[in-house]
Amino acid sequence: MVNLILFGPPGSGKGTQSANIIEKYGLLHLSTGDLLRKEIAESTPLGLEAQKFMNQGILVPDEVVIGMISSMLDANPEARGFIFDGFPRNTAQAEALDKLLTLKKAPISVVLSLEVPEDELIRRLLDRGKTSGRPDDANEAIVKNRIVEYHNKTAPVADHYAKFGKLKRVKGDGSIEATFELLSKELDELIGERV
């Protein structure tokens, strides 16, 4: 099983590249946001617990999210692997995820980090703001703040995986096709070793 985290700041192209990776490699998309909505809609015990926190305006605790990820892994034993989206967002979550995946004998195989210069991120997000209708993409101050927030809270997750030799930095400021070619090169090497 190949488990991968695609990583990068807002505007780095994670959504687009995730879709490309899923299509080419047949990995399952594991979005914690989608999982939360599904568990709540199905009124599962984890979903009901998550709803309680959300009703109070509190972030859903990591243990609940880890429980949902565990359920998803158990429900898809035949999966070729998963691409994690939106998780882990901090080092504590990365450590909790590592523990779970070690128990499942399916550790994170690689963390692919899309590296894009800040001025390019800002340009992309402001361009997207003109067409997406997302107010957080239309305001340059908010865009810059989201990038700072990413560097402060989420970028340390990359350092966590670098310690284990699992981090691969990929140049992400080229075209969608050029970036996907670089990601594919990393994945072809990895998946070639595992098949």
Side-chain angles (χ1 to χ4, degrees):
M1 183 178 279
V2 176
N3 285 323
L4 105 94
I5 297 170
L6 185 61
F7 211 64
S12 60
K14 288 187 306 291
T16 301
Q17 297 301 346
S18 281
N20 289 340
I21 290 168
I22 289 161
E23 187 179 325
K24 179 173 179 180
Y25 296 99
L27 301 179
L28 291 183
H29 185 228
L30 203 155
S31 158
T32 49
D34 291 350
L35 273 182
L36 275 169
R37 286 184 284 279
K38 180 177 179 284
E39 297 270 347
I40 290 166
E42 293 174 3
S43 296
T44 66
L46 284 169
L48 294 171
E49 195 175 338
Q51 188 70 65
K52 276 194 304 199
F53 290 103
M54 291 164 77
N55 288 346
Q56 297 171 50
I58 301 170
L59 281 177
V60 177
D62 293 347
E63 311 82 78
V64 176
V65 177
I66 288 287
M68 292 178 184
I69 292 170
S70 181
S71 298
M72 174 82 163
L73 296 172
D74 292 345
N76 294 281
E78 75 300 331
R80 186 172 194 194
F82 292 88
I83 181 166
F84 287 83
D85 178 1
F87 196 88
R89 288 187 187 271
N90 58 48
T91 310
Q93 290 178 350
E95 289 167 354
L97 181 63
D98 290 345
K99 264 188 210 145
L100 171 71
L101 294 177
T102 299
L103 284 173
K104 304 273 184 200
K105 298 187 179 10
I108 291 297
S109 310
V110 69
V111 176
L112 296 173
S113 178
L114 291 169
E115 305 288 311
V116 181
E118 193 166 318
D119 57 341
E120 174 65 9
L121 293 172
I122 293 166
R123 188 193 63 73
R124 286 180 184 182
L125 289 167
L126 291 174
D127 282 353
R128 187 169 81 183
K130 291 173 191 164
T131 56
S132 71
R134 283 181 56 174
D136 58 333
D137 283 346
N139 180 318
E140 188 167 345
I142 293 173
V143 164
K144 285 181 175 175
N145 192 47
R146 284 170 55 207
I147 294 168
V148 167
E149 188 76 357
Y150 166 82
H151 286 300
N152 289 341
K153 291 193 176 151
T154 310
V157 176
D159 300 333
H160 169 77
Y161 286 106
K163 286 189 300 200
F164 303 106
K166 294 184 177 187
L167 178 71
K168 303 278 186 187
R169 297 186 187 277
V170 177
K171 189 173 169 343
D173 57 348
S175 67
I176 291 170
E177 297 75 19
T179 301
F180 186 57
E181 207 171 293
L182 294 171
L183 289 167
S184 292
K185 190 171 172 267
E186 295 291 347
L187 289 171
D188 288 346
E189 281 179 32
L190 179 76
I191 291 173
E193 290 171 15
R194 296 190 179 259
V195 174

